[in-house]
Amino acid sequence: GNSVTQMEGPVTLSEEAFLTINCTYTATGYPSLFWYVQYPGEGLQLLLKATKADDKGSNKGFEATYRKETTSFHLEKGSVQVSDSAVYFCALSDQGSNDYKLSFGAGTTVTVRA
Amino acid sequence: NAGVTQTPKFQVLKTGQSMTLQCAQDMNHEYMSWYRQDPGMGLRLIHYSVGAGITDQGEVPNGYNVSRSTTEDFPLRLLSAAPSQTSVYFCASSRDGYGYTFGSGTRLTVV
C-alpha cells in the first residue's frame, strides 16, 4: 500500500534559519506528491506539488524536488520567518493506480522564533 | 466563492448520540473526502467519493456513514458517538483527484 514517512518534530528555529523537513514515501504506482501547511486553528492549504520524477514544486520560498531514486520529497526553505510557524504535512496521491485518495504523513510542527 | 464549507465548527456530544457533520463545496468538484486528524497521526481517511452516488471506505470507516446525493454535498454521519471519535474532522474536495481544497474543520468532543 501507499505510505508517507515524515521527519518527526517539533522543530524550533530562529528567524532567517534554513529549514528542511524530510519526507519519504512508498507507493505501488506513480504518485503525485504534495506538501500541505496548517496554520494554527485553520484547515490545510496546499503549499506545493510535483507530479513526476525530477519535478520541483515551489511556493512562498519553499521548494521540494520529487526524487524517484530515493523515494523522497524533502521540503526546504532558505530563510524562515515567524509567519512560517505551522504544521507541515507531506502527502501522496497515486493516480497511476486509479487511487485518488491522499495519504498523509504524521505532520511536522515548526516554530520560528524572532 | 466559498470553497469548502463545514458546519458546525465545534460540537460536544454525549456517548451514544448521533449527529451529522455537514460539508458543502461550490466548485463543482467531483472528488470529496472526509478525514480525521488526531495528534501524532496526521490525517486519516474516513470515507471518500469520486462523484454523486459513489462512495467508498477509507482507512478508518467504522462508526461513520456517508452519502453523496448531489455533487455539492457530502455529509458525514456518526451513528452512535464514542469517546474514541473525539477528533478534528476535515472535509476536502478536488476537481481532478489530486489537488484538494480543505474546509476549516469541525472539532468534535464526545463525553
Side-chain angles (χ1 to χ4, degrees), chain A residues 32 34 36 38 41-44 46 49 51 89 93 95 100-102 104-107, chain B residues 31 35 37 40-43 45 48 50 57-58 90 96-100 102-104:
Chain A
S32 295
F34 309 88
Y36 281 84
Q38 184 181 32
E42 298 184 10
L44 278 73
L46 179 64
K49 65 184 180 185
T51 59
F89 293 93
S93 178
Q95 287 102 339
Y100 299 95
K101 305 184 293 271
L102 278 174
F104 285 90
Chain B
Y31 300 90
Y35 293 86
Q37 183 180 22
M41 302 187 74
L43 279 79
L45 182 66
Y48 68 102
V50 298
Q57 296 181 351
F90 288 100
D96 51 15
Y98 72 101
Y100 278 84
F102 281 76
S104 58

Side-chain angles (χ1 to χ4, degrees), chain A residues 90-103:
Chain A
C90 187
L92 73 82
S93 178
D94 194 356
Q95 287 102 339
S97 303
N98 288 323
D99 181 348
Y100 299 95
K101 305 184 293 271
L102 278 174
S103 297

Side-chain angles (χ1 to χ4, degrees), chain B:
Chain B
N1 195 344
V4 178
T5 302
Q6 289 185 239
T7 56
K9 292 189 182 302
F10 301 94
Q11 183 70 49
V12 178
L13 288 179
K14 294 182 179 179
T15 297
Q17 286 184 317
S18 62
M19 78 160 294
T20 299
L21 279 61
Q22 301 292 343
C23 175
Q25 52 90 9
D26 61 359
M27 299 172 283
N28 201 33
H29 285 173
E30 291 294 327
Y31 300 90
M32 296 187 75
S33 303
W34 275 103
Y35 293 86
R36 59 177 290 171
Q37 183 180 22
D38 302 293
M41 302 187 74
L43 279 79
R44 292 181 292 169
L45 182 66
I46 304 171
H47 286 284
Y48 68 102
S49 170
V50 298
I54 306 169
T55 63
D56 205 349
Q57 296 181 351
E59 183 183 355
V60 288
N62 292 341
Y64 308 93
N65 274 355
V66 292
S67 60
R68 185 95 181 271
S69 56
T70 67
T71 298
E72 295 78 18
D73 299 301
F74 192 43
L76 178 72
R77 299 181 185 85
L78 278 69
L79 308 173
S80 177
S84 61
Q85 294 178 305
T86 293
S87 188
V88 182
Y89 291 85
F90 288 100
C91 179
S93 74
S94 172
R95 174 183 58 83
D96 51 15
Y98 72 101
Y100 278 84
T101 301
F102 281 76
S104 58
T106 295
R107 186 175 293 275
L108 176 68
T109 302
V110 182
V111 298

